[in-house]
Amino acid sequence: MTRIAGRKDSPAKGGSQRQLEIPALLTVKELAGMLGVSGVEIIKLLMNYRIMANLNQAVDFDTAAVVASDLGYEVVEKPTPQAEAISSKEVKEENPQPRPPVVTVMGHIDHGKTKLLDAIRQTNVVASEAGGITQHIGAYQIEVSDRKITFLDTPGHEAFTAMRARGAKVTDVAVLVVAADDGVMPQTREAISHARAAGVPIVVALNKMDKPGINVDRIKQQLAEEGLVIEEWGGDTVFVPVSAKMKQGISDLLENILVVAEILELKADPDLSASGVVIEAGLDKTKGALATVLVQKGTLKPGDAVVVGDAWGKIKAMFNDAGKRVKKAEPSTPVKILGLSGVPHAGDDFVVFTNDREARSTAEKRQQEKQLRLLKPIRPVKLDDVYAQIKAGQAKDLNLILKTDVQGSIEPIRDSLQRLGTDEVRLKVIHTGSGAITEGDVLLALASKGIIVGFHTAPTVGAQRMAESDGVDIRLYNIIYDLIADIERALKGMKEPTYAEVVEGHAEVRAIFAAGRHAKAAGVYVSDGLLRRNALIRVIRSKEVILQSSIASLRRFKDDVKEVATGLECGVGVDGFNQFAVGDVIEAYRKDKVDESAH
Ligand code: GDP
């Protein structure tokens, strides 16, 4: 547990304010101890700020500071021990040398990502590895015209963005696979957004060119609509026709990847002690914890003492993607390592330390921090924080992910939003799409420090949970004006109007029935108050709020109605939510603007 500095009276402040040093994250119980009051008192104070906490829940520094100041304390943040580990990564590179590019393959499902990765690997094995047995270790390296390229062989943008969400920048170039017989599809668009959000250049591989009746111009047009304009049309997107099946166009694709990479002038110092990132990790019954790491700086060698995520170890052996033992791994090389104390996660960083003792104590510190962090801070990132960040010069961009019920609403909303950007902050809509807000959207928001805006849609249960646990702000709107006004307020630093919540009624779910092709509606009994169409609702299951949304449709005997009163039954539909269960309680409420001048 985090140790806490004692409380000091501050003579400078004339004794009226007591000074206190508190850590970045602490539990309600610890905070109570430091402030010399009971836990219940802290819980009550937090409730004034609409934060429902229990004793073991963690609060972040800002929240703790507010409570402490209510009790007459002045607080400063205690530096966290993690600072040390980070600084070891900031070693100056004295001797930067060119390094191979690291490439991720993305694209819509079934467009041939896996097949393309296989074809590339088979046709361009590193000469020294020929005859070796191909091992899946999460990445492989190939050689083309004496130059190397590293491919991450977990295709898809989910893995890429999950790593980025953990703070790891792994990819230099993204290959976007588009099947020539299918064209640009939803996941193609997602992949483009993900690569763009990460600032990674895209090379298009137009796959399945062996199929009959391919219309290449149609796909070029579709890609241009997504902002990927090919060179012959005056853009700068490299576009290579290939057939993964026939192994055609592969060397052309690789040459083009090298050209794009050359512009990036990728360099790293091989003389440093190594650091990098975990690509894949697992537990082997006989060998113990295994991890594939990508060396990003320095040279990794057997015998090195490493901290990997919150595990540590002395590297017993290293293997390449042909299953061969290797004596060193230079920048951009993936190797599987043996000898770790625990299994790290993909996206964790690794750092080599000068000795075992240091590695071990750093790993132990990280474990303690993780324990504390598991008790998540309960104050999520809010749109309201944006202006504070802008003012502090911390935010230059506001990243938004826009999801709507129908494709047709995207353009007008995006246009209005983009007009809101100011000289100080650029407003970037980094991804748009129609349908429910998914876990992929939450991941993208997390990785890009963005906010999700939903119009006439709602998160899936999984996405909602993930957003809550990771503190991603999802804002739902049914009226365009409200949506635009809220974002504008955040950008201009105007205070959000204060709303008071008024519960309007409750209903019990008694039956589930189909409503349309994919949708399910709930048959409910209004037990008190009333339900109104468009009312904000919470769906409560076993005392837990599983969904916050609004009523999209309200029906009695097949007729759309505006409201339903106590004692009556009706059907309730919620956009993007299909998981009503008998016994769920729907709480309907509205938000009334509070007139602050009346106080
Ligand atoms: P992924 O989901 O993007 O990884 O796609 P896969 O690599 O699994 O390929 C999906 C399907 O398309 C498989 O049946 C492949 O055999 C097929 N496929 C992949 N590339 C080609 C190609 O170049 N030509 C043809 N005709 N089929 C291909």
Side-chain angles (χ1 to χ4, degrees):
M1 271 295 153
T2 317
R3 259 174 288 118
I4 282 154
R7 166 197 326 166
K8 297 184 289 226
D9 286 319
S10 164
K13 290 265 150 77
S16 60
Q17 287 232 329
R18 293 169 290 180
Q19 270 200 352
L20 192 63
E21 211 179 42
I22 50 184
L25 209 59
L26 75 172
T27 63
V28 168
K29 201 152 120 196
E30 287 173 314
L31 180 62
M34 293 174 74
L35 298 173
V37 296
S38 74
V40 174
E41 226 165 305
I42 301 288
I43 291 171
K44 276 194 201 153
L45 281 170
L46 286 169
M47 276 164 73
N48 292 342
Y49 297 97
R50 294 188 172 226
I51 295 172
M52 303 296 160
N54 63 43
L55 280 179
N56 294 318
Q57 210 148 8
V59 292
D60 61 2
F61 172 81
D62 291 342
T63 309
V66 170
V67 172
S69 83
D70 285 353
L71 293 171
Y73 284 88
E74 192 189 334
V75 292
V76 286
E77 189 169 342
K78 189 180 164 148
T80 59
Q82 209 181 15
E84 294 163 39
I86 292 165
S87 63
S88 70
K89 285 172 78 181
E90 286 166 1
V91 186
K92 202 163 165 274
E93 298 194 65
E94 303 281 348
N95 178 30
Q97 297 294 315
R99 64 167 178 86
V102 180
V103 179
T104 299
V105 174
M106 305 189 198
H108 194 71
I109 184 159
D110 279 345
H111 279 197
K113 299 180 290 292
T114 311
K115 198 140 185 110
L116 182 65
L117 278 162
D118 288 346
I120 292 170
R121 183 169 190 165
Q122 285 161 22
T123 43
N124 293 274
V125 190
V126 176
S128 61
E129 287 182 8
I133 298 161
T134 310
Q135 305 273 319
H136 171 88
I137 64 165
Y140 63 77
Q141 223 173 30
I142 54 130
E143 221 168 69
V144 47
S145 333
D146 287 335
R147 284 181 298 175
K148 287 180 174 162
I149 306 179
T150 303
F151 280 90
L152 301 182
D153 73 357
T154 315
H157 54 263
E158 295 84 1
F160 167 82
T161 298
M163 280 201 225
R164 211 159 69 78
R166 300 181 80 89
K169 183 176 187 317
V170 186
T171 304
D172 302 307
V173 177
V175 168
L176 180 70
V177 179
V178 183
D181 60 340
D182 205 20
V184 170
M185 298 301 282
Q187 283 172 288
T188 318
R189 286 193 197 95
E190 262 180 59
I192 296 171
S193 300
H194 284 241
R196 282 218 179 107
V200 172
I202 297 171
V203 172
V204 178
L206 188 61
N207 191 30
K208 308 200 184 182
M209 286 302 291
D210 56 285
K211 289 209 166 180
I214 298 295
N215 180 350
V216 175
D217 273 348
R218 181 179 77 98
I219 295 167
K220 288 180 177 169
Q221 184 60 47
Q222 288 178 342
L223 285 165
E225 279 160 23
E226 302 301 322
L228 293 178
V229 182
I230 56 162
E231 287 171 315
E232 58 182 285
W233 291 358
D236 59 1
T237 302
V238 181
F239 185 95
V240 189
V242 299
S243 165
K245 186 177 169 190
M246 313 305 282
K247 300 198 173 66
Q248 277 164 0
I250 306 293
S251 56
D252 200 15
L253 175 65
L254 299 177
E255 287 296 341
N256 274 292
I257 292 172
L258 285 171
V259 171
V260 170
E262 212 155 275
I263 301 166
L264 302 174
E265 294 189 26
L266 305 166
K267 285 189 175 158
D269 186 348
D271 299 338
L272 300 173
S273 59
S275 61
V277 60
V278 177
I279 302 293
E280 205 174 88
L283 197 60
D284 183 278
K285 272 194 220 99
T286 53
K287 297 192 188 105
L290 291 174
T292 298
V293 297
L294 177 75
V295 178
Q296 293 180 304
K297 262 184 213 171
T299 299
L300 187 65
K301 298 181 237 36
D304 278 348
V306 284
V307 172
V308 187
D310 57 12
W312 74 282
K314 207 174 165 76
I315 296 183
K316 275 196 218 144
M318 314 199 307
F319 299 90
N320 69 10
D321 50 283
K324 288 196 177 147
R325 248 185 139 100
V326 288
K327 287 265 145 47
K328 59 174 190 178
E330 292 179 326
S332 296
T333 310
V335 276
K336 188 148 117 178
I337 59 174
L338 247 67
L340 297 179
S341 64
V343 181
H345 299 277
D348 279 347
D349 59 350
F350 85 83
V351 188
V352 169
F353 279 77
T354 38
N355 60 53
D356 300 7
R357 200 174 41 79
E358 235 187 281
R360 180 183 200 140
S361 75
T362 305
E364 281 169 359
K365 260 187 229 155
R366 285 189 176 187
Q367 279 162 18
Q368 285 171 359
E369 279 170 24
K370 188 167 95 180
Q371 293 251 299
L372 193 58
R373 213 168 299 125
L374 281 179
L375 305 161
K376 279 275 159 78
I378 45 178
R379 226 181 61 139
V381 182
K382 284 276 169 60
L383 184 59
D384 321 6
D385 300 337
V386 168
Y387 183 67
Q389 286 169 7
I390 293 167
K391 239 168 94 180
Q394 289 165 350
K396 290 272 179 300
D397 293 320
L398 170 57
N399 291 333
L400 293 182
I401 292 165
L402 172 65
K403 293 300 281 271
T404 60
D405 53 345
V406 291
Q407 193 74 24
S409 348
I410 294 177
E411 268 326 300
I413 299 179
R414 186 187 7 215
D415 279 356
S416 317
L417 282 172
Q418 269 160 350
R419 259 180 250 137
L420 296 179
T422 62
D423 288 345
E424 290 82 40
V425 234
R426 267 188 311 164
L427 192 143
K428 287 210 274 189
V429 180
I430 57 170
H431 179 62
T432 59
S434 56
I437 295 161
T438 63
E439 285 166 72
D441 295 325
V442 177
L443 210 50
L444 181 59
L446 196 61
S448 314
K449 300 196 170 42
I451 284 167
I452 301 175
V453 178
F455 180 69
H456 276 298
T457 182
T460 62
V461 175
Q464 165 101 9
R465 245 185 233 139
M466 191 169 162
E468 270 165 20
S469 81
D470 290 323
V472 168
D473 199 358
I474 299 184
R475 301 223 148 200
L476 304 177
Y477 299 91
N478 286 333
I479 299 168
I480 294 191
Y481 173 80
D482 288 346
L483 188 162
I484 305 293
D486 256 19
I487 305 289
E488 188 168 21
R489 259 196 299 273
L491 286 179
K492 293 199 174 147
M494 290 188 299
K495 209 165 154 263
E496 266 203 277
T498 315
Y499 289 100
E501 201 179 289
V502 182
V503 172
E504 295 185 318
H506 291 93
E508 286 166 35
V509 176
R510 296 201 164 162
I512 313 297
F513 52 87
R517 216 146 54 98
H518 300 297
K520 289 213 169 64
V524 309
Y525 169 78
V526 181
S527 47
D528 65 78
L530 80 160
L531 293 191
R532 284 182 311 111
R533 183 150 41 117
N534 291 332
L536 296 166
I537 55 162
R538 277 183 279 266
V539 178
I540 301 159
R541 184 174 301 165
S542 319
K543 296 197 178 132
E544 232 187 285
V545 176
I546 59 160
L547 180 80
Q548 305 240 29
S549 190
S550 62
I551 297 179
S553 71
L554 193 61
R555 283 190 179 172
R556 266 179 68 71
F557 308 113
K558 299 204 155 62
D559 291 330
D560 281 319
V561 290
K562 282 217 171 106
E563 54 180 65
V564 178
T566 312
L568 297 177
E569 290 184 334
C570 60
V572 171
V574 173
D575 281 338
F577 182 68
N578 270 339
Q579 278 124 326
F580 276 117
V582 172
D584 287 351
V585 171
I586 297 176
E587 181 169 77
Y589 63 98
R590 66 168 191 271
K591 284 180 177 171
D592 284 348
K593 218 178 265 188
V594 177
D595 183 2
E596 296 202 335
S597 58
H599 283 261

